[in-house]
Amino acid sequence: MQDAAARDKAGLLSVLTLNAWGLLFVSKKRQDRMLEIGAYIKKFCQRYDCLCFQEVWVASDAQYLAQCGVASGFDHHVHFVSGLFGSGLLTISRFPIVEFQFFQYAAAGDSLALHCGDYLAKKGVGWVRLAVRQHCFIDVYNTHLHANYSHKAKITKISGKWKVPNDAFAPFRLSQVLQLAQVIRHTSKHGSLGAVLLGDLNTKPENLEYLLL
């Protein structure tokens, strides 16, 4: 893997995404996992330019991972805040972040399905614009779509090779995908060299969510 200087010269951007499963009181061995992720950032992440994490719900965990990033040359980060628990989205960058914004999904989830927590979390997409060179910018999007507890999907006569999700929360996830595509289209069309989408989409490459994107 090329180092940062070589990637910059070649015009390459190396990225990493991970769902850290860091829900307070719920995620098993959360603190141990954050320590391991932090150690990985320090030891192995020199090969990357931007790291996007999902389910970093606890502020102190986000601060710890950001500090580990600084130790590995990532001097810039944004922990996107939303809802009761926060969005859980953390973006860490080697390049300066010149703009950032959080877009909350209109279809947050089922208000009666409190056991899954998506409605309370108010998920969305966190956008950052990275200054990779002077007057050269890349847009990076970090997102976590609605949970998928069964991954049920089937091919229909209309969908062709694409599988249509039919789990209980598919309507929310499909709505979020459409909004996500709209956010990317409107924020990246001016002043950006390109767009990179990272995150936990809670779907599979052959499913309708990917087709909509």
Side-chain angles (χ1 to χ4, degrees):
M1 181 66 70
Q2 295 174 310
D3 61 21
R7 290 195 305 273
D8 183 59
K9 186 176 181 180
L12 301 176
L13 184 76
S14 181
V15 297
L16 172 73
T17 185
L18 176 71
N19 185 322
W21 195 40
L23 190 61
L24 188 65
F25 304 129
V26 175
S27 301
K28 297 179 180 179
K29 297 184 179 180
R30 175 186 61 81
Q31 292 177 314
D32 292 339
R33 184 163 45 259
M34 293 301 165
L35 290 174
E36 289 294 327
I37 294 173
Y40 184 89
I41 292 174
K42 290 180 179 180
K43 189 173 182 179
F44 297 109
C45 283
Q46 291 83 0
R47 69 188 75 178
Y48 300 110
D49 300 304
C50 185
L51 314 175
C52 287
F53 297 99
Q54 303 81 47
E55 292 208 33
V56 183
W57 304 105
V58 182
S60 59
D61 291 343
Q63 293 171 1
Y64 170 71
L65 296 181
Q67 290 170 357
C68 293
V70 171
S72 192
F74 296 86
D75 294 329
H76 315 276
H77 78 278
V78 179
H79 189 214
F80 296 96
V81 178
S82 175
L84 182 61
F85 308 118
S87 70
L89 303 176
L90 172 65
T91 299
I92 300 175
S93 172
R94 194 178 302 281
F95 296 110
I97 297 174
V98 295
E99 292 183 70
F100 66 89
Q101 188 171 347
F102 179 77
F103 299 88
Q104 182 177 308
Y105 289 132
D110 187 349
S111 60
L112 298 179
L114 297 180
H115 63 283
C116 70
D118 284 74
Y119 180 80
L120 296 176
K122 305 295 185 184
K123 289 180 177 179
V125 52
W127 163 64
V128 298
R129 175 160 288 186
L130 307 182
V132 295
R133 294 181 183 176
Q134 187 174 9
H135 306 304
C136 294
F137 307 99
I138 293 289
D139 292 319
V140 176
Y141 301 86
N142 186 4
T143 193
H144 188 187
L145 298 184
H146 196 293
N148 188 340
Y149 296 100
S150 64
H151 287 278
K152 294 179 180 178
K154 62 181 180 180
I155 294 177
T156 68
K157 292 181 179 179
I158 299 176
S159 65
K161 67 176 184 179
W162 296 93
K163 292 185 177 180
V164 178
N166 59 351
D167 61 283
F169 300 104
F172 297 105
R173 200 165 51 256
L174 291 170
S175 174
Q176 291 173 355
V177 165
L178 291 173
Q179 185 177 348
L180 171 60
Q182 185 180 48
V183 167
I184 294 174
R185 184 168 62 249
H186 286 293
T187 54
S188 66
K189 64 182 179 181
H190 296 299
S192 174
L193 294 175
V196 180
L197 172 62
L198 301 168
D200 183 351
L201 302 183
N202 275 314
T203 188
K204 298 179 180 180
E206 65 269 20
N207 285 9
L208 183 59
E209 290 94 330
Y210 271 83
L211 174 62
L212 294 177
L213 283 173

